[in-house]
Amino acid sequence: MAPIKDETVDALRDLVSKLESRVEQLEAKLQSVGGDGSGRQHKAPTNSMRMILIGPPGAGKGTQAPRIKEKYSACHLATGDMLRSQVAKKTSLGREAKKIMDQGGLVSDEIMVDMIKNELDNNSECKYGFILDGFPRTVAQAERLDKMLHDKQQKLQHAVELQIDDGLLVSRITGRLIHPASGRSYHKIFNPPKESMKDDVTGEPLIQRSDDNAETLKKRLVTYHQQTTPVVNYYQKTGIWKPIDASQEPGQVWKSLLNVFQENKSSSTTTTGSLLSKIGLRN
C-alpha cells in the first residue's frame, strides 16, 4: 500500500479535532438540559470556564472569544461594550458611570467590578463561566477582581495573553470589520465574511471602526504595553498566565487555546488522542 502523504495526515488530524470539538459541544448541551427531553436542569458542566483574555487591538480576541463562549457555554464580557450597555439601559451603575464620564473622569475600579459582578449574578449566559475581555487593565483592578470572585467562592482559571509583534498589527487592524451587536470580528483579507460586509451569523451589516488606522493604533499600542506588562507579571506570579502566538492563522490559535484549557484536565488521553491512535496517526 502506498504511504500516506503528510498533507493527508494533517487533513485527517484537523478533521478529527473538529469532530471532537463538535462532540464536546453536544455533550455540554446535553448536560445543561435533561437528556430525556424533560427539560430538567442538571449540574453545571465540569468544564466551566473562568478566564481573562489579554491582547492588543487586532490580536484576535474578537475572533477567539465567541468560539470559547460557544464551546464552554460561557458569557463574553467585553467591558467597553458592557459599560455602554449599562449607560444605555440607564441602570444605577450606568447612571453613575455616565455622570463621571460626562465630567471627563475615568470610571472607578469599584464601578467596573460591580458591573462585572452584576453580569455574573444576573446574566443567564454567565451560569457556566465567563470570558473577560478588556479587564483588568491594572494590578489594582486585578486584585479587586480576585477579591470579588473570592467572595463568590470562585477564582480565575486562566489568564491567556495573545502575543503578536506590533508591526504585524497594522495590516491586521486597518482591514478589520466588526459586527457591533455581537463583537464578532472579521478581516477583509485574512478572515473575510462569507458575504461582503455582512455578518456570517445574522446577515447584519459590518462596520469598520473610525479609530482602526495606523496612526491611532500606534498610540493605542503604547498605552496597551504600559498598562498590560504589570498585569501580565501579576498573573504570571499566580501561575494561571499562558502565552499564545497570535501571529498564527485563526484555526491554529484556536488549537493553541484548546491545548491551554486541556492542560488542567486530569485525563492524560483526550478523545482526539484516542481516535488518532486508533487510526495510527498519533505522534
Side-chain angles (χ1 to χ4, degrees):
M1 185 177 70
I4 301 175
K5 295 182 179 179
D6 290 344
E7 306 92 89
T8 305
V9 172
D10 290 341
L12 286 170
R13 284 199 180 105
D14 186 54
L15 176 60
V16 170
S17 180
K18 289 178 180 177
L19 288 170
E20 183 210 17
S21 178
R22 184 58 181 155
V23 167
E24 289 186 357
Q25 289 173 17
L26 293 171
E27 287 176 342
K29 289 180 180 179
L30 286 172
Q31 285 176 326
S32 63
V33 179
D36 57 1
S38 65
R40 290 192 298 270
Q41 295 296 308
H42 287 191
K43 293 181 180 179
T46 55
N47 61 343
S48 60
M49 177 62 62
R50 295 184 299 278
M51 69 171 293
I52 63 171
L53 197 55
I54 306 168
K61 299 190 299 296
T63 299
Q64 301 301 333
R67 301 183 75 171
I68 302 171
K69 173 181 177 178
E70 181 182 2
K71 181 173 178 62
Y72 292 95
S73 301
C75 61
H76 175 207
L77 301 179
T79 49
D81 294 340
M82 188 171 60
L83 181 59
R84 286 186 287 273
S85 174
Q86 291 280 341
V87 171
K89 291 176 182 176
K90 297 181 179 180
T91 64
S92 58
L93 287 171
R95 289 194 298 270
E96 192 174 351
K98 186 177 187 301
K99 183 178 178 181
I100 294 171
M101 291 188 292
D102 286 347
Q103 294 172 349
L106 294 174
V107 177
S108 69
D109 295 347
E110 182 179 3
I111 291 177
M112 291 305 302
V113 171
D114 283 347
M115 283 188 179
I116 294 168
K117 182 178 185 300
N118 182 66
E119 290 290 329
L120 299 184
D121 290 343
N122 300 303
N123 185 343
S124 60
E125 289 189 350
C126 299
K127 184 177 181 180
Y128 298 138
F130 60 86
I131 307 133
L132 267 179
D133 175 356
F135 190 93
R137 294 189 177 184
T138 67
V139 171
Q141 289 177 350
E143 291 172 340
R144 190 176 284 271
L145 175 65
D146 280 348
K147 182 181 183 307
M148 182 270 286
L149 291 173
H150 180 267
D151 291 344
K152 291 171 64 65
Q153 298 183 323
Q154 296 179 349
K155 64 179 181 178
L156 283 173
Q157 297 166 310
H158 306 285
V160 177
E161 181 183 10
L162 299 181
Q163 298 180 330
I164 184 170
D165 185 82
D166 287 359
L168 293 176
L169 290 173
V170 176
S171 58
R172 276 195 179 187
I173 208 79
T174 53
R176 185 166 66 170
L177 302 170
I178 305 290
H179 178 237
S182 69
R184 280 185 290 274
S185 64
Y186 302 85
H187 193 279
K188 292 178 180 178
I189 299 173
F190 305 122
N191 184 34
K194 294 175 182 176
E195 188 174 349
S196 179
M197 294 303 294
K198 290 188 178 180
D199 178 50
D200 287 352
V201 178
T202 65
E204 295 171 347
L206 303 175
I207 65 166
Q208 185 161 18
R209 286 172 40 167
S210 59
D211 58 350
D212 278 354
N213 60 75
E215 184 178 349
T216 303
L217 173 63
K218 289 174 183 177
K219 293 178 182 177
R220 291 169 68 191
L221 287 173
V222 170
T223 303
Y224 168 79
H225 291 304
Q226 289 173 344
Q227 290 181 333
T228 304
T229 299
V231 175
V232 167
N233 291 339
Y234 175 84
Y235 286 117
Q236 284 176 330
K237 292 175 184 176
T238 68
I240 66 171
W241 172 84
K242 292 290 183 183
I244 297 289
D245 178 7
S247 66
Q248 307 172 94
E249 60 91 15
Q252 289 299 321
V253 173
W254 175 239
K255 289 180 181 179
S256 298
L257 282 166
L258 290 180
N259 287 337
V260 168
F261 301 150
Q262 290 168 355
E263 279 180 5
N264 292 338
K265 288 187 176 181
S266 57
S267 174
S268 61
T269 305
T270 63
T271 304
T272 299
S274 299
L275 288 171
L276 291 175
S277 294
K278 288 178 181 178
I279 60 177
L281 297 175
R282 182 92 181 263
N283 285 331

